[in-house]
Amino acid sequence: MTYCVGLKIDRGLVFMSDTRTNAGIDSISTFRKMKVWEEPGERVIVLMSAGNLATTQAVVSLLDERTKAVAERAPTLLETPSMYQTACLVGNTVKEVIAQSAPAGQTADSSFNASFILGGQIRGSEPRLFMIYPEGNFIESGEDTPFFQIGETKYGKPIIVRAYDRSMSFAETVKLLMVSFDSTLKSNLSVGLPLDLLFYEKDALKAGLKKRIGADDPYYKTISDGWSNALKVAFQSLPDFPE
């Protein structure tokens, strides 16, 4: 399991993912779940993945290889005319990989499943954010759904729902995501540090801050400890049940 969040604000897009992958409690590894393709001045595309590691790696590798061997498939991620067409391309690649990997009759609901968050901007259009399902279909973020989560989503969702504001700065958004990820890390051993963070500022057409956040990161430790203390203070301030 893993945990990834893509969030849209007025200033652009923010992406965060963990790096844990496990096939049981005695087989835990670290793998990057975030892949970035960019042509500065033309496009930035970010893809985060959750689910079966072999499937997600095959999808990302195939998309990447086709950007380098363009004769094999056109258009590639670096040639699609819109983010919508990019989402279609990723969705079709997901279906292609699962069809090639699964025995006859195997479906996307099986152990081969994989889901993705896709975001970015292509010159001449607005930044866009999509969630792509194991079946290869997808939905786009909007006013009512400004963020997507994949993987182990339930523990980190409440803080985002309660505190999100589209006018947030990048710094405030990272604080929000840090709390969301810290809540998930403390609740589920299948999600783990380090975390990968990326900013994309609207119309920049190049990736912004990229950072890997480990257990020794001072800001992460401050947020983790501060959130725990704040919850205790908030709990203690509530009235006791009348006996």
Side-chain angles (χ1 to χ4, degrees):
M1 190 57 76
T2 191
Y3 182 41
C4 303
V5 181
L7 195 150
K8 192 173 185 179
I9 56 177
D10 287 339
R11 287 196 60 184
L13 302 170
V14 183
F15 303 89
M16 186 176 281
S17 62
D18 88 316
T19 53
R20 176 162 292 178
T21 248
N22 69 290
I25 58 174
D26 59 347
S27 181
I28 296 175
S29 304
T30 297
F31 285 92
R32 185 179 295 274
K33 310 293 179 63
M34 183 187 300
K35 174 69 176 177
V36 183
W37 293 269
E38 62 179 319
E39 287 192 336
E42 172 60 29
R43 69 184 63 208
V44 172
I45 296 168
V46 181
L47 187 67
M48 296 187 295
S49 59
N52 180 274
L53 183 63
T55 303
T56 58
Q57 285 196 335
V59 170
V60 172
S61 295
L62 193 55
L63 289 166
D64 196 44
E65 284 299 312
R66 286 172 174 169
T67 66
K68 300 167 185 175
V70 294
E72 186 175 334
R73 179 66 59 91
T76 71
L77 281 177
L78 299 180
E79 298 172 312
T80 48
S82 69
M83 284 301 299
Y84 175 84
Q85 291 297 325
T86 305
C88 289
L89 176 59
V90 175
N92 288 336
T93 305
V94 173
K95 290 188 283 188
E96 179 184 349
V97 167
I98 291 178
Q100 291 175 348
S101 302
Q106 198 86 31
T107 69
D109 295 324
S110 72
S111 58
F112 289 93
N113 70 353
S115 54
F116 298 84
I117 294 174
L118 171 72
Q121 185 176 18
I122 295 174
R123 185 165 54 88
S125 61
E126 291 291 304
R128 299 174 75 176
L129 186 68
F130 300 86
M131 182 162 69
I132 301 169
Y133 295 102
E135 295 78 11
N137 57 341
F138 55 86
I139 58 174
E140 183 174 4
S141 68
E143 292 293 326
D144 296 325
T145 310
F147 68 92
F148 289 130
Q149 302 167 284
I150 53 175
E152 187 54 74
T153 63
K154 55 185 177 290
Y155 302 107
K157 186 173 183 177
I159 180 62
I160 301 178
V161 171
R162 289 175 180 268
Y164 166 82
D165 188 305
R166 62 176 304 135
S167 64
M168 281 178 156
S169 67
F170 281 130
E172 291 171 323
T173 305
V174 173
K175 179 168 62 174
L176 175 63
L177 291 179
M178 284 282 201
V179 173
S180 177
F181 272 77
D182 183 63
S183 299
T184 304
L185 287 165
K186 283 182 167 58
S187 302
N188 193 304
L189 291 176
S190 70
V191 178
L193 295 162
L195 309 176
D196 287 320
L197 167 68
L198 185 142
F199 292 161
Y200 174 71
E201 186 150 16
K202 180 179 179 181
D203 297 330
L205 296 175
K206 63 179 180 179
L209 174 70
K210 298 177 188 176
K211 183 176 175 65
R212 174 156 282 197
I213 299 159
D216 58 349
D217 184 89
Y219 182 69
Y220 172 76
K221 293 168 72 173
T222 297
I223 292 296
S224 181
D225 293 343
W227 182 243
S228 294
N229 293 334
L231 285 176
K232 291 176 184 177
V233 170
F235 176 77
Q236 292 166 358
S237 70
L238 295 172
D240 292 337
F241 178 76
E243 298 182 10

